[in-house]
Amino acid sequence: MAKADLAARALLQEFQLHAPPVDPVALAKLLGVLVVPQQLDDDVSGMLLRKDGSCVIGVNRSHTAERRRFTVAHELGHLRLHEGRPLILDTDTRVNYRNTVSSMATDREEIDANRFAAALLAPEAMVRQAVRSVGFRTTEELVRVLSGQFQMSEIAMTYRLMNLGIVSGPAR
């Protein structure tokens, strides 16, 4: 199991979360992280700012609720997995951005943070239990039902189900 999956599982266990939907904003609050909706460029989903032991997650308020949830979970992934990068300012603040490039997951830290977010919002055990308990006839129907239960976009749920080996590809 990957480090990102283990870190997400540990966070869920730390706060005794056993049923969907997982609320990443509530988790951030429990961790002492302030989540602030911001007006950001459309290609920037969010950012994690760290300074002197304090953390703030900025999330693009114009994005959908599901995308904002994934973004907060993604930034929590950076918090738990990565030291962060220095912001080029006259300060020692460190920042992680989630933008169009990071959502394409070509950078190792971004891949890790995306994997953490998926494992946090749709933990494997919860997903497998939901699949067993949901009546469905098609992959499309399964994705629609589970995306509602887990409060994720259908595309994010499709990828999660594919990565868990539950479905072989997107619904047609």
Side-chain angles (χ1 to χ4, degrees):
M1 185 171 287
K3 180 180 176 183
D5 297 291
L6 293 171
R9 181 183 288 179
L11 184 57
L12 293 166
Q13 288 174 346
E14 182 178 341
F15 294 104
Q16 299 296 303
L17 299 174
H18 304 292
V22 172
D23 183 348
V25 174
L27 274 173
K29 186 175 182 178
L30 290 168
L31 293 169
V33 177
L34 180 64
V35 176
V36 182
Q38 294 287 302
Q39 188 61 47
L40 300 169
D41 290 342
D42 195 50
D43 73 329
V44 177
S45 298
M47 64 186 76
L48 172 64
L49 300 168
R50 296 179 256 208
K51 181 171 172 77
D52 301 330
S54 295
C55 298
V56 176
I57 292 174
V59 62
N60 193 326
R61 68 176 173 215
S62 67
H63 289 175
T64 66
E66 290 87 1
R67 187 162 180 191
R68 288 191 312 266
R69 285 171 43 78
F70 195 91
T71 295
V72 173
H74 174 99
E75 300 306 339
L76 290 174
H78 281 304
L79 180 66
R80 286 293 175 112
L81 297 169
H82 309 123
E83 182 181 317
R85 298 180 185 103
L87 184 61
I88 309 303
L89 290 175
D90 211 12
T91 180
D92 61 353
T93 301
R94 292 172 110 34
V95 65
N96 294 98
Y97 284 100
R98 181 167 190 266
N99 58 20
T100 306
V101 173
S102 66
S103 67
M104 293 183 337
T106 54
D107 175 275
R108 180 82 253 158
E109 286 189 3
E110 296 305 321
I111 292 168
D112 290 345
N114 284 340
R115 184 170 183 145
F116 177 95
L120 186 71
L121 296 176
E124 182 174 1
M126 289 185 208
V127 170
R128 291 192 185 284
Q129 177 58 40
V131 169
R132 285 191 296 273
S133 64
V134 169
F136 64 94
R137 291 185 302 256
T138 65
T139 298
E140 184 177 69
E141 188 178 350
L142 175 63
V143 167
R144 187 174 53 254
V145 170
L146 293 186
S147 66
Q149 275 186 343
F150 288 86
Q151 296 181 6
M152 294 173 69
S153 70
E154 289 187 10
I155 190 73
M157 182 52 71
T158 298
Y159 279 116
R160 185 64 175 149
L161 292 171
M162 288 170 50
N163 289 334
L164 292 174
I166 294 169
V167 301
S168 59
R172 298 194 196 277

